Structure formats: C-alpha cells, structure tokens
Amino acid sequence: MQKQTSTQHQLVKGHLHPLGATLTARGCNFSIYCPDAAQVFICLFDPDENEIAQVALTQRIQSKWFGEITNVKEGDLYGIRVTPKPHKHNIGCSKEKLLIDPYAKQLNRPLHWEPSLYEGDSSQMVPKAIIIDPLKINAKPVTCSVPEPSSQSIYSQRVVYEAHVKGLSKLHPEVPEDLRGTYLGACHPAIIKHLQQMGVTTIQFLPIMAFMPEPFLFNKKLTNYWGYNPINFFAPEPRYAIKDAVKECYEMISSFKQAGIEVILDVVFNHTAEAGADGPVLSFKGLCCDHAYLIEHQDESDTPSFDNYSGCGNTIKVSDTYMMNLIIDAMRYWVNTMGVAGFRFDLAATLGREVFDFRNNATFFKIIQQDPLLNKVMLIAEPWDIGPGGYQLGQFPATWHEVNDKFRDTVRGFWRGDKGLKGDFATRLMGSRDIFKKTKRPMLASINNVTYHDGFTLHDLVSYEHKHNDANLENNRDGHNHNLSANYGIEGDTDDKAILDVRFQQKRNLFATLVLSQGSVHLLGGDELSKTQRGNNNAYCQDNSMNYLHWDLKPREHAFLDYCRYVIALRKQYPLLQIMHFDDDQFANNINVKFADWYRRDGSHKTDIDWVNHEHHCFALHLVGNASVDKQEWLFCFNSAVTAKEYSLPPLQESKNWSCVLDTSKEHLNEMQNQSISSSFEMPARSFKLLLKLNS
C-alpha cells in the first residue's frame, strides 16, 4: 500500500472530546481511542472510495489520539489505520487493515465478508464511515415516549410485536415495490394500520445496527438475515436503506411514534463480528483488542484466548471503562437523537459480568439506573448467556423486564398435554411470582412469550414435532431439539380437516393464554398471519420467503387473525386482565383483586395434592375484582386433556348473569359469544373458556 498525502487536508490542533468525528468550522475533529497504537491515521476517501489522504494524528493524551483536519465536510468518507506497538499478542492488526470508527454514525454500504478483498489491504472490503451532523437528524431531541412505571393504565397495556425490518414489508402487496424490505417499507401506512388493528403498542425490531454475516455463511452462500453479528453500535444497517440509512431509519422510528407505537431495538452488546483469534480485524481488534474483549492470555502462546460466552467467538468486556462508555453513549444516541423507546438486550447476562462473573449490581446497571434519560426507557433482558453462571432469570435490577423462558416452556407443555404442569401453569398464568418476587418486582417484569424469533413460529409449533433445518446446510444439527411441539397426526403441511381443526384450536389456546396471562405480552410478528418457516426453528440465515411475512391469507387464517385482534382488545378493555394487584403484594398500592379461588372441575376447591395429581388436566380460576376499583368477576376454565370433561362450578349458580367472552373450541368470534351458561357444562377437549360476570 502506497502512502498517500494531501496538501488540501492539514492537521491542526484538535480536541480530546467527543470521540469519533465532529464537524468544526474549519473541517472535522477526530478523536480515536487506541491505547496500543504506535501511530493512528485518519484515511479520507472520495465518493468512489479512492483513498485521497492519510493524516497521522499527532496529539495524544493517554489512550486517545486526536486532531482537527481542515477541509473535511459533511458527507465525506473516512476510515482508520493503525500502526500497532509490537507485542507478542498481536492478532493480525497492521496498517494494511482499514478499521471502522466505533463512534461512526453512518456507513456508506453494507459490510460483506469477501476473503479476496480482505487479504492485504482490506479497504476494498471494509465500508467507509460517513461524516454526518447528528443535529441535522433531529433538530429537537425526541421526547422519550415510554410511560413512567406509575402510569399503569398505559404501562400494563403494552403489547410488544417482534419484527424484522426487511421481512415485515418485503411481500406486502400494498407497499410499493421500491420500498419493500426497507426502513420506509416497514413504516408504510398499510403496515402501521395492521399493527394498530392488532392492538400493538410497541414494535421490537431485530438488530438494525450495522453488522457483517459470518465468513462460514459466506462459504455456504447464505447470509445472517437476523443481523446478530454487529460491527458498530451507532450506524443503522445500510442493507435496509434506499439512499440514506440514517434519515430513513429516523423517519421509520418517527412514523411509528406518530402512530402511537413505541420502537425498541434488539441490541447485541455481547459480541462483535470480529469473532475469535482467527476472525477478521475490522474495528475493535485493531484499536483496543484487550479492552474490547474478554481475553485470557497464555504466557507461552502468541495467540490470545478469547472467552466465548456468546457462542460467536468473542465476548465484549462490558466492565471495561471504554466499552461501557461506548455502549452507554450508543444507547443515549438511539434514544435522544433517533427516538427509540427502549432496548432488548441479546444475551444480557454479559452486561453484568465483572470481569467474568455476573453481578446484578454491576456498574453497567448502576449507570443506567442513575442516567436521567436511560432510566426511563424500556429495558428487556434476555437473562442468560452461555458462560459460567450464565442463566440469570429473575436476577436483573427491579426496573428491568426479562424474557421468561419458563413461561414459554410451561405453556407449551401444558397445552400439548404433558403431565405434571398444572401448578406451574397456574404460577405462570398469575405472573410467575416465584421468579419475580412480590413487593420487589412487578408482574409486568415478566416478558411472556410462547414464540420468539429463535425457535418455531406459532403455526409450526403445532405442525411439527421435529426441527427441519436442512436449508441451513448444517445437516440439521443446529437449532434447539427441545421444542415442546406436536404435529397432531402428520409432520408438516396437510389438508386433513381434523388435524387442522386441532392445530388451529391449539393456536387459539396458546395465543389466548399468552395475552391473558399476567405479565408483559410479547408476540412474534407473523404468528397472527399463521406464518410458517416449514419447520425451520433456526432460520437466522434464510433471507427469503421462509422469513418474510405473507399477507395472502386463506379463510381459516383470516379467522385466526380476527381472533388475535379480539383477544388483545379483550385484555385492553378490562384492567383486571392487564394487571392484578393483590393485598399481599405491595409493589403498587393499588389493590384491585378481592379474592381468587381455584376449583376442581367438580366444583370443589383445589387442595395442594390436586396441583401435583398428574391425571388432572382441568381446573378453573374464579377471580373477583375489588368493588371499589374493578367490579368484574371472571372464570378462567381450562381443559388440556384430549377428551371433553364435565364441569360443575358453584360461581355459576347465578348463571343468567354470566356471559362467555372467549371459547377456544370455536373458530369464529360469533360462535364464542351468546352461549347459554349453566352451573354444569361440558368443556371440549383442549379448550380454554373465559366467562365474565358484570356486577352492578
């Protein structure tokens, strides 16, 4: 590589703060954190990515190199080159490797692995950072739309809808073709209308921070569709842009906010695309490898050992001051400048590792708790990683939400007919208070879900007993084997009406249990459309119709969509279905439950022994609201057995005052209502019935 110089761009005295590229009256100030460098160079490129200047930063204070370069303007392209200090743990960094500024706010193109372009000078492979003025993105900082926890009427109605920017609109017939699969397609009025009709309050996007698909996927001619392999925490992913990723991403977020829908981001602060010792040098490895990653150096080896608590080759060292500040700065940027309302943290146990062990009072959590901006946004932890002591469900700070896999597994198993789950099912139904302790955590801390992006869709959960991941080209070895699924007669697609009847009834059971359970509701986008991935429970590398939402519904699928809308509306209509405050739980001083009784199907009260009787698959919950707050009475009736069962329930002695508002044995909404109610009735096999009594 021939060193290039330029008389147009002169280095003058600069400023230590802020990190990254900051426009000035004369040009641009650059401040780069690089503790192990002998020299740091800012490389400037023309619009065709030809390197036109290479300027060495000569000012340094401890680990930061900085300086102002004249005649640099908004829209110019840049990268970083480093001459590292010689030491035996060098992992391949050299001046040949063009590095992405960790504080870059925009990249000019997506990052694709291409080994022929990486060898030697990597500048042809690595995208360039674009110098932008963040103040022009949003002249007036966006006010965070997340309600205070005390605003229970809003807080308790939250319905989170998980979606992928591309897959959401890629096949939607009302979205113009040039917008499909983009930021602007995701916020098209047709998409927003669908979410509003569903009752969605919050859309949770799979990662939209700049990423690179793994090299092993490149070798298979596949890609990382989900995007869980980041290389920068500020820049929106260019793959979803038409022209300008920052402006279009901001417009998407703003459009959802204007429609009354929060946007939260799935963020990956546990690893990067640089992988382990054999992975590429793209950014952090060349700038601050020992500070960015958890590394155990071996005295007798030149190759550092990367701790791999993410399963992706490396683990971000969140306890390092620089990395912690970088992550916090990125979060503030996405909230204050881009307007998001919160974050879902992938493998969030990594955030609490100091240095190696998880602590629920880790510095990272304390910083967020005292931050006047971030302590008001929604924070969702995936409460585990694969490192030692990595499973931490229920251990995050009180203000956090946590993805509750115990809810998922119990609800799946119960409706599949597994024995011994009645007690656990009742616990999950009523807010998982064994995990989220009374008086210390709200019920809403539990993010309840039956499906997530990683795993079967709802339709596949009742259509496949086994995973079918052959399209991933790993001989079906990838993905979970413990799916708690069933096919009810045949594996996969079928035209058999009897099998389809059971499948759709089970979907109604699972969906209603999710939405009507105590906790925060999390939906997998596409479940309401009966989306199938053809049995693939790990479709992360499938950028095709397997992952895109299909909007051309058959009559039965339309009926299920109507059902989903109805169940969510039912929850929103009645405060007692959203959140229950009992007199023995003083987390919130707002008691709205007078009492709750549990019944056997013969009308007697359940005893402790009944909860562990494996032959019993039926029970009922009688819930009575506080007369001064919520006067409704409810009967939740469950039968997970494969045969119909007779029920006789004392609360129904005044049967004329009761009405049926939900019956999962009925496919159409008009069939569920206007049923005659008596104290004794038959509960169909595999069904959930919800009865309401309005007291004057």
Side-chain angles (χ1 to χ4, degrees):
M1 178 189 67
Q2 183 178 359
K3 181 178 179 180
Q4 301 179 42
T5 59
S6 172
T7 57
Q8 179 185 4
H9 303 288
Q10 301 296 322
L11 182 70
V12 297
K13 186 177 180 180
H15 301 280
L16 182 64
H17 299 293
L19 287 167
T22 306
L23 288 166
T24 66
R26 292 182 295 182
C28 187
N29 187 81
F30 293 90
S31 182
I32 308 299
Y33 180 83
C34 193
D36 297 322
Q39 287 181 300
V40 174
F41 301 87
I42 299 299
C43 301
L44 302 175
F45 296 83
D46 67 16
D48 296 323
E49 298 193 40
N50 298 306
E51 188 170 327
I52 58 175
Q54 191 176 114
V55 182
L57 298 179
T58 56
Q59 291 178 261
R60 178 180 185 179
I61 295 180
Q62 197 174 16
S63 299
K64 298 183 179 71
W65 301 72
F66 56 99
E68 182 177 343
I69 302 176
T70 62
N71 295 314
V72 175
K73 63 185 183 304
E74 185 175 5
D76 284 355
L77 307 180
Y78 77 99
I80 304 169
R81 295 188 192 273
V82 169
T83 301
K85 292 179 181 178
H87 64 87
K88 65 178 181 179
H89 297 304
N90 190 297
I91 43 81
C93 177
S94 72
K95 196 177 176 184
E96 289 185 322
K97 301 306 178 190
L98 188 72
L99 306 175
I100 299 170
D101 180 2
Y103 273 83
K105 305 302 188 294
Q106 185 170 7
L107 300 183
N108 70 328
R109 55 180 169 83
L111 176 56
H112 297 282
W113 171 250
E114 175 52 72
S116 65
L117 299 179
Y118 177 76
E119 296 303 322
D121 189 332
S122 64
S123 64
Q124 290 187 58
M125 190 193 87
V126 176
K128 314 306 179 287
I130 303 176
I131 297 172
I132 67 171
D133 183 356
L135 295 178
K136 291 185 179 180
I137 301 171
N138 174 18
K140 184 178 180 180
V142 178
T143 301
C144 179
S145 63
V146 177
E148 295 281 358
S150 60
S151 304
Q152 293 291 354
S153 61
I154 302 172
Y155 187 63
S156 59
Q157 290 189 20
R158 183 180 275 125
V159 175
V160 180
Y161 184 94
E162 184 184 28
H164 187 282
V165 166
K166 183 174 184 178
L168 190 59
S169 68
K170 185 63 177 177
L171 300 179
H172 199 294
E174 295 180 44
V175 177
E177 288 192 21
D178 61 332
L179 299 184
R180 294 178 188 175
T182 69
Y183 293 117
L184 299 183
C187 64
H188 186 273
I191 301 290
I192 289 179
K193 180 181 178 181
H194 170 75
L195 297 177
Q196 290 174 326
Q197 290 176 337
M198 276 287 293
V200 169
T201 66
T202 308
I203 187 164
Q204 175 183 309
F205 280 115
L206 271 68
I208 63 172
M209 296 175 182
F211 66 90
M212 184 189 80
E214 294 84 344
F216 78 88
L217 292 175
F218 169 85
N219 296 332
K220 296 180 180 181
K221 297 182 179 180
L222 296 172
T223 190
N224 189 323
Y225 171 76
W226 286 350
Y228 288 89
N229 207 38
I231 196 56
N232 181 279
F233 301 146
F234 291 86
E237 173 51 53
R239 286 171 174 82
Y240 311 135
I242 300 171
K243 293 181 179 179
D244 189 314
V246 173
K247 291 180 180 178
E248 292 165 25
C249 181
Y250 176 76
E251 184 174 340
M252 177 189 75
I253 295 167
S254 298
S255 296
F256 280 114
K257 287 169 64 73
Q258 291 168 10
I261 299 174
E262 305 169 316
V263 175
I264 63 175
L265 303 184
D266 196 331
V267 292
V268 185
F269 295 144
N270 58 79
H271 77 278
T272 76
E274 293 184 303
D278 296 331
V281 178
L282 303 169
S283 181
F284 299 99
K285 272 187 179 178
L287 295 168
C288 53
C289 187
D290 283 334
H291 299 258
Y293 302 114
L294 288 176
I295 295 175
E296 297 182 34
H297 290 294
Q298 301 175 10
D299 293 339
E300 302 302 322
S301 172
D302 289 337
T303 303
S305 175
F306 284 71
D307 287 295
N308 186 17
Y309 300 159
S310 65
C312 300
N314 63 53
T315 306
I316 289 178
K317 191 177 181 180
V318 180
S319 60
D320 180 87
T321 302
Y322 170 71
M323 294 304 292
M324 189 179 302
N325 285 336
L326 172 71
I327 292 170
I328 295 295
D329 286 348
M331 291 172 62
R332 289 178 180 139
Y333 174 79
W334 280 99
V335 173
N336 196 46
T337 301
M338 299 298 285
V340 304
F343 305 92
R344 180 266 189 190
F345 299 87
D346 180 67
L347 299 183
T350 299
L351 302 174
R353 290 191 179 275
E354 294 194 338
V355 165
F356 297 97
D357 298 325
F358 176 88
R359 297 178 183 176
N360 63 4
N361 64 344
T363 304
F364 180 81
F365 300 141
K366 291 178 180 178
I367 289 176
I368 289 180
Q369 188 171 2
Q370 62 81 41
D371 188 282
L373 181 67
L374 299 182
N375 65 13
K376 296 179 178 64
V377 305
M378 187 178 191
L379 305 169
I380 302 175
E382 183 183 40
W384 51 76
D385 62 18
I386 66 171
Y391 187 78
Q392 295 293 334
L393 178 64
Q395 301 305 310
F396 279 72
T399 54
W400 284 58
H401 298 70
E402 301 181 42
V403 178
N404 189 350
D405 63 320
K406 292 186 181 297
F407 178 94
R408 175 199 67 198
D409 291 351
T410 298
V411 171
R412 287 184 179 190
F414 176 81
W415 284 114
R416 192 173 69 164
D418 296 0
K419 295 182 178 180
L421 291 177
K422 289 189 310 301
D424 201 20
F425 179 83
T427 300
R428 305 295 153 237
L429 181 73
M430 299 301 285
S432 295
R433 299 312 261 165
D434 58 331
I435 300 169
F436 304 99
K437 303 297 184 180
K438 293 179 180 179
T439 75
K440 295 182 179 180
R441 302 285 296 274
M443 288 183 178
L444 296 170
S446 176
I447 297 291
N448 295 343
N449 70 93
V450 292
T451 51
Y452 227 84
H453 66 269
D454 48 351
F456 280 142
T457 66
L458 183 62
H459 192 77
D460 287 356
L461 188 65
V462 298
S463 303
Y464 295 89
E465 288 191 8
H466 309 286
K467 65 184 183 184
H468 296 266
N469 297 357
D470 300 279
N472 298 353
L473 304 182
E474 295 186 39
N475 296 318
N476 206 35
R477 293 192 301 265
D478 63 305
H480 292 293
N481 293 313
H482 184 64
N483 295 295
L484 296 166
S485 61
N487 63 30
Y488 302 102
I490 191 171
E491 191 79 349
D493 291 341
T494 181
D495 293 326
D496 188 302
K497 183 179 181 302
I499 294 175
L500 289 173
D501 286 346
V502 176
R503 288 180 178 178
F504 273 85
Q505 182 163 322
Q506 289 289 60
K507 289 204 298 181
R508 291 191 292 272
N509 286 327
L510 291 162
F511 192 88
T513 303
L514 167 62
V515 174
L516 299 176
S517 294
Q518 293 297 291
S520 296
V521 179
H522 178 284
L523 310 177
L524 174 61
D527 277 351
E528 78 281 12
L529 305 174
S530 298
K531 176 180 183 285
T532 177
Q533 293 172 181
R534 301 188 287 277
N536 192 321
N537 74 349
N538 189 35
Y540 77 104
C541 56
Q542 301 298 323
D543 188 355
N544 51 51
S545 63
M546 179 186 292
N547 263 316
Y548 308 154
L549 301 196
H550 292 253
W551 301 88
D552 50 336
L553 305 185
K554 301 174 183 177
R556 180 164 239 172
E557 295 166 345
H558 267 295
F560 183 68
L561 173 59
D562 290 340
Y563 170 84
C564 293
R565 292 168 173 166
Y566 172 76
V567 177
I568 293 173
L570 191 64
R571 174 188 170 105
K572 289 190 171 187
Q573 182 179 356
Y574 297 102
L576 205 60
L577 297 181
Q578 300 163 25
I579 187 166
M580 301 176 190
H581 296 291
F582 292 85
D583 58 5
D584 65 342
D585 182 1
Q586 293 301 309
F587 184 85
N589 189 23
N590 185 27
I591 299 170
N592 65 351
V593 178
K594 185 176 181 180
F595 67 83
D597 283 341
W598 299 90
Y599 288 95
R600 292 160 50 110
R601 64 184 180 89
D602 64 3
S604 60
H605 284 94
K606 291 186 75 67
T607 62
D608 291 345
I609 194 66
D610 292 317
W611 291 112
V612 295
N613 187 328
H614 295 343
E615 300 307 315
H616 290 183
H617 292 265
C618 311
F619 62 91
L621 166 64
H622 180 207
L623 191 70
V624 179
N626 188 325
S628 63
V629 180
D630 193 335
K631 297 182 179 181
Q632 285 88 37
E633 288 189 46
W634 295 93
L635 266 175
F636 294 70
C637 304
F638 299 97
N639 177 20
S640 65
V642 297
T643 56
K645 301 293 182 180
E646 290 293 326
Y647 270 64
S648 181
L649 298 175
L652 295 180
Q653 295 297 331
E654 301 177 23
S655 57
K656 64 180 181 179
N657 296 325
W658 289 87
S659 62
C660 179
V661 297
L662 184 76
D663 185 345
T664 62
S665 69
K666 309 297 184 184
E667 182 168 10
H668 298 285
L669 297 178
N670 60 355
E671 299 174 324
M672 298 181 186
Q673 301 159 340
N674 303 316
Q675 298 184 34
S676 60
I677 305 298
S678 63
S679 59
S680 297
F681 60 95
E682 183 180 82
M683 273 285 289
R686 300 188 179 106
S687 67
F688 170 17
K689 191 186 293 282
L690 182 61
L691 306 178
L692 170 65
K693 179 182 179 183
L694 292 174
N695 297 321
S696 57

